[in-house]
Amino acid sequence: MTKKQKNNLIRIIIALVLVVAFSVVFHFTELPWFVELACFLIPYFIVGYDVLLKACKNIRNGQVFDECFLMSIATIGAIATGEYLEGVAVMLFYQIGELFQSIAVGKSRQNIADLMDICPEVANVLHEDGSITEEDPDDVEIGSVIIVNPGERVPIDGIIIEGETSLDTSALTGESVPRAAHVDDEIISGCISLTGMIRIKTTKEFEDSTVSKILELVENSSMRKAKAENFISKFAKHYTPIVCYAALALFVLPPVFRIILGMPPMWLDWLMRALTFLVISCPCAVVISVPLSFFGGIGCASSKGILVKGSNYLEALADTGTIVFDKTGTLTKGVFEVQDIYTNGDVSRDYLLQRAANAESTSNHPIAESVLRAYKKEFKNEINYSLIYDAEEIAGHGVSIKYRETPDGVVESVDKRSVSGEETHFKIYAGNMRLMKMVGVEVPEQHDEGTVVYVAESCLGNSETDENENLSDKEIKYLGCIVIADELKETSAAAMERLRKQGIKTIMLTGDSEKAAKLIAEKVGVSEYKSELLPGDKVNEVERLLGEEESDDASGKTEIKSRLAFVGDGINDAPVLARADIGIAMGAMGSDAAIEAADIVLMDDDPAKISLAMKIARKTLKIVRQNITFAIAVKVLCLILGALGIANMWLAIFADVGVMVIAVLNATRALRIK
């Protein structure tokens, strides 16, 4: 409990003891009314002075109708009519309910508060002279070397250049099993080094690091409210003034009618009914429990490595009926390895791999990185970027570069033109079959056992001219192809199975060939798949699917059947993530653009977390609906009973505080979703 909560608890206990003591005393003794009033005012002011002050401040600021105003009017009115015990009891139990709600909110905040602790206050920066200084992570530049000792958190993203350790990533991913980290491994901020000292070369500034982005996402999540929350805000804004005027009418109109009919007005009786009506009408149960439920759901998700950017996205996810997956880096690990190299004619294997590596060196795509790894492993050498110019990445097709070959590295070109003694220029193409067709290259044999990179080149001669623009089809020679395979994530198939059991339709979109896409789809178990898609085609496909999720009724209005979510990780997925109803990004390997465009981020790239997110969202929304239905139903029933004079002040206390406590207890269930 916080200091404020402890102080409130002490006030409640003191007031409760005094109320019980005075009730016993006045039950067995007869004392003047003013003595009884003075005695009960002591616990009343002890427990309720802050409510009275807040009501006065709100009235002064023009914000009259709120729960503090309702409690103040109802309790002062009860005391004024001689119902001292009831008046104090209303304020006492109201404060008990407020304390209970405060503790519940504190617990729901705990998971997010834990996230706030993942950010170290200092970074140990190692300088060239061997000295170490503690600096603010914000001041550490890219390329600096920082030291992380056992038990310390990693302050900034980087690459390990010395040492090895086990990493505790539970605060980021919800995964309790430590992960081994070695030299050349990428490491993200917020992890704890458990077993060894490591030196890290920073690759990002602090504001762009993982931990900083997580905190930003979490801090902004409360700004995006769900429809249910917006409904409750509007409901409370109009509801409170209405019940206040209704209570005033209940106090005034019946006695007036009784006077007109020649009956006793019974002002005191109708005043008590109006005050009871006010206590019952307090909207605390609904106003508190609904946002608390969403906050609990977001906190529960964050503790399991699922960052939800707002309760509106949690609500939309609960209504999702279709989830569309990108393949690479989402259902697969995105770690491609060269499986086979097929050459054309008398082209050597080394020549093909060299040409492909030079072309792919200008791309950061996982496929390109796999070709480069194979090249470095084969030749034990780095790419000479000074020989590459005019690189162009053709979206959905591949890449092309111009390449100058020097006499130092004499390699006979495929069209037998000698490069000995002078510099010769080539244009190299590396990509899929669409690229080969685009440049007019005939491929004698196609391969579809995996992702295939086809390679072709044309010789430009001895100068950096644009002669290639006028080349005929015959001058571009096909060199061969490289077959690359991507490994499925261990949890992909289980994730699809869980989503199927939850009634979710799963669709995979990929740029792979039909045969390769079918093979992956069968292994994973998706409902449908679409292959050979360009980035723009993915957007069009999602647009089509969104159209299927909508229908026009008889009045011409568009009715949304269910929501559609898209899961991706690459920069080319950002437009689709933004277009879908819900965008879900892979946070560990995903690009910054994808994470920025997404509404939900999976910090450990585990597709199985999607079904868990669905479970959390649906249970949270179920709790929200339960609270709204229960609270409003009890309120309406008790309001009717209060207006008829059947409900007394004690039933009013239950209708207010009791319902609020039950609703808050129900809301805290959102924190405990396994």
Side-chain angles (χ1 to χ4, degrees):
M1 294 177 68
T2 64
K3 185 177 180 181
K4 183 178 179 181
Q5 290 170 346
K6 290 178 181 177
N7 290 336
N8 288 342
L9 178 60
I10 292 171
R11 288 168 50 204
I12 289 170
I13 292 173
I14 293 172
L16 184 60
V17 170
L18 290 176
V19 167
V20 172
F22 292 150
S23 299
V24 172
V25 170
F26 293 119
H27 181 74
F28 293 104
T29 59
E30 290 290 336
L31 293 173
W33 66 269
F34 56 86
V35 175
E36 185 177 355
L37 172 61
C39 289
F40 276 108
L41 283 178
I42 295 172
Y44 177 76
F45 283 115
I46 288 175
V47 77
Y49 75 89
D50 54 338
V51 176
L52 298 173
L53 285 176
K54 187 175 180 181
C56 292
K57 288 180 181 178
N58 289 343
I59 291 172
R60 187 178 62 195
N61 295 330
Q63 299 173 349
V64 179
F65 301 109
D66 64 357
E67 64 269 18
C68 291
F69 175 78
L70 295 180
M71 288 297 107
S72 299
I73 293 297
T75 54
I76 291 172
I79 292 173
T81 57
E83 301 291 343
Y84 309 132
L85 177 60
E86 284 84 349
V88 178
V90 168
M91 186 64 77
L92 179 63
F93 284 105
Y94 172 74
Q95 289 287 48
I96 291 174
E98 287 292 299
L99 175 63
F100 194 88
Q101 172 255 329
S102 176
I103 294 172
V105 170
K107 286 185 177 180
S108 69
R109 284 178 179 271
Q110 190 58 49
N111 288 327
I112 292 178
D114 289 342
L115 268 180
M116 298 305 169
D117 292 334
I118 67 178
C119 179
E121 295 181 358
V122 296
N124 300 316
V125 181
L126 177 65
H127 301 282
E128 292 183 359
D129 60 2
S131 62
I132 299 175
T133 58
E134 291 186 350
E135 298 183 15
D136 190 313
D138 272 321
D139 299 330
V140 179
E141 297 179 352
I142 296 176
S144 300
V145 177
I146 58 175
I147 291 179
V148 180
N149 296 307
E152 293 181 347
R153 288 192 184 273
V154 178
I156 306 172
D157 293 5
I159 297 175
I160 298 176
I161 59 173
E162 184 178 321
E164 56 184 39
T165 185
S166 293
L167 295 176
D168 177 3
T169 63
S170 57
L172 301 176
T173 66
E175 177 57 56
S176 58
V177 179
R179 180 172 65 87
H182 309 280
V183 174
D184 292 336
D185 285 351
E186 291 187 5
I187 188 169
I188 59 176
S189 50
C191 302
I192 300 175
S193 176
L194 297 176
T195 57
M197 185 191 78
I198 52 176
R199 293 186 181 184
I200 301 170
K201 186 175 183 180
T202 61
T203 56
K204 295 181 181 179
E205 293 183 347
F206 175 73
E207 63 180 12
D208 297 323
S209 286
T210 302
V211 65
S212 183
K213 289 186 176 295
I214 291 173
L215 298 185
E216 183 181 351
L217 294 179
V218 173
E219 287 166 354
N220 293 336
S221 65
S222 61
M223 298 171 61
R224 300 178 175 91
K225 291 187 175 182
K227 290 181 180 179
E229 283 187 278
N230 289 326
F231 163 73
I232 292 304
S233 299
K234 294 176 182 178
F235 169 81
K237 183 179 180 181
H238 298 290
Y239 168 81
T240 307
I242 289 173
V243 296
C244 287
Y245 290 126
L248 180 62
L250 186 62
F251 168 57
V252 174
L253 295 181
V256 170
F257 285 135
R258 290 178 68 88
I259 292 173
I260 293 173
L261 296 174
M263 302 169 64
M266 300 175 63
W267 289 103
L268 190 60
D269 180 59
W270 287 103
L271 176 59
M272 284 304 300
R273 293 191 189 189
L275 295 175
T276 302
F277 188 90
L278 279 178
V279 175
I280 295 171
S281 65
C282 185
C284 295
V286 179
V287 173
I288 291 170
S289 64
V290 170
L292 179 61
S293 300
F294 280 113
F295 202 83
I298 291 174
C300 177
S302 67
S303 69
K304 303 182 189 310
I306 305 167
L307 294 186
V308 184
K309 293 185 180 181
S311 55
N312 55 331
Y313 302 126
L314 200 67
E315 183 180 47
L317 184 62
D319 295 329
T320 296
T322 302
I323 299 181
V324 181
F325 292 86
D326 177 49
K327 180 184 75 71
T328 305
T330 304
L331 296 176
T332 63
K333 292 181 178 179
V335 180
F336 291 85
E337 296 296 339
V338 172
Q339 303 296 320
D340 290 297
I341 298 178
Y342 298 95
T343 60
N344 181 44
D346 58 356
V347 176
S348 70
R349 184 179 182 279
D350 288 351
Y351 188 91
L352 173 59
L353 183 57
Q354 180 204 45
R355 287 305 197 239
N358 279 294
E360 296 288 10
S361 67
T362 61
S363 173
N364 59 2
H365 193 280
I367 293 175
E369 292 173 358
S370 68
V371 174
L372 287 175
R373 280 196 303 273
Y375 170 81
K376 291 175 183 178
K377 183 178 179 181
E378 185 79 20
F379 292 95
K380 311 294 183 185
N381 199 6
E382 296 290 333
I383 297 293
N384 187 348
Y385 289 94
S386 65
L387 303 178
I388 299 169
Y389 62 101
D390 286 359
E392 179 185 5
E393 185 151 357
I394 307 166
H397 291 74
V399 293
S400 70
I401 64 163
K402 289 181 182 178
Y403 177 76
R404 63 170 67 90
E405 195 151 49
T406 63
D408 295 335
V410 177
V411 178
E412 190 177 53
S413 69
V414 70
D415 58 359
K416 306 301 180 182
R417 182 177 300 194
S418 172
V419 298
S420 177
E422 59 183 7
E423 188 176 80
T424 306
H425 297 260
F426 297 89
K427 185 159 188 178
I428 304 171
Y429 304 88
N432 54 26
M433 183 57 65
R434 285 191 295 269
L435 178 63
M436 296 297 104
K437 291 179 179 178
M438 186 180 82
V439 299
V441 172
E442 184 178 344
V443 177
E445 184 181 6
Q446 296 187 29
H447 296 268
D448 52 12
E449 57 264 37
T451 300
V452 183
V453 177
Y454 295 94
V455 185
E457 76 168 4
S458 60
C459 185
L460 305 180
N462 304 119
S463 63
E464 298 183 15
T465 63
D466 288 331
E467 293 175 29
N468 60 304
E469 300 298 331
N470 301 316
L471 291 174
S472 66
D473 293 348
K474 294 181 179 179
E475 292 177 294
I476 304 178
K477 305 297 182 180
Y478 174 63
L479 304 183
C481 66
I482 299 175
V483 178
I484 298 166
D486 187 11
E487 189 177 348
L488 275 177
K489 291 180 180 177
E490 292 82 358
T491 58
S492 292
M496 298 305 108
E497 176 64 18
R498 291 175 193 169
L499 290 172
R500 185 187 63 78
K501 290 180 178 179
Q502 290 175 322
I504 304 297
K505 180 181 179 182
T506 55
I507 301 172
M508 183 185 77
L509 304 182
T510 178
D512 280 357
S513 65
E514 167 66 20
K515 186 175 180 180
K518 183 179 180 181
L519 182 64
I520 294 292
E522 290 175 349
K523 286 183 178 180
V524 173
V526 292
S527 307
E528 298 178 13
Y529 70 92
K530 297 289 182 180
S531 60
E532 300 180 3
L533 298 177
L534 298 172
D537 296 332
K538 292 181 181 180
V539 177
N540 295 335
E541 189 64 27
V542 168
E543 291 276 6
R544 183 186 66 80
L545 292 168
L546 285 169
E548 291 180 358
E549 298 296 334
E550 300 176 356
S551 62
D552 295 331
D553 57 19
S555 62
K557 294 182 179 179
T558 301
E559 178 186 2
I560 297 177
K561 296 178 182 178
S562 63
R563 302 285 183 178
L564 181 141
F566 180 85
V567 189
D569 74 308
I571 191 169
N572 61 332
D573 294 326
V576 202
L577 288 166
R579 179 61 189 92
D581 294 320
I582 298 292
I584 303 175
M586 298 294 170
M589 290 181 61
S591 69
D592 290 344
I595 293 172
E596 187 69 26
D599 308 311
I600 298 172
V601 181
L602 307 180
M603 292 311 301
D604 59 355
D605 291 0
D606 184 359
K609 290 287 179 71
I610 298 172
S611 61
L612 177 58
M614 288 290 305
K615 183 179 179 182
I616 292 172
R618 288 179 173 179
K619 185 169 182 178
T620 299
L621 205 63
K622 182 179 179 181
I623 290 171
V624 167
R625 289 166 178 162
Q626 287 172 349
N627 282 340
I628 292 175
T629 304
F630 171 71
I632 292 179
V634 172
K635 290 283 182 187
V636 171
L637 176 62
C638 291
L639 284 173
I640 295 172
L641 295 177
L644 296 175
I646 299 173
N648 57 19
M649 193 63 77
W650 293 104
L651 181 60
I653 292 172
F654 167 76
D656 175 34
V657 180
V659 170
M660 181 177 70
V661 169
I662 293 171
V664 168
L665 274 174
N666 192 39
T668 57
R669 290 170 53 224
L671 285 166
R672 299 184 297 274
I673 301 174
K674 296 182 181 180

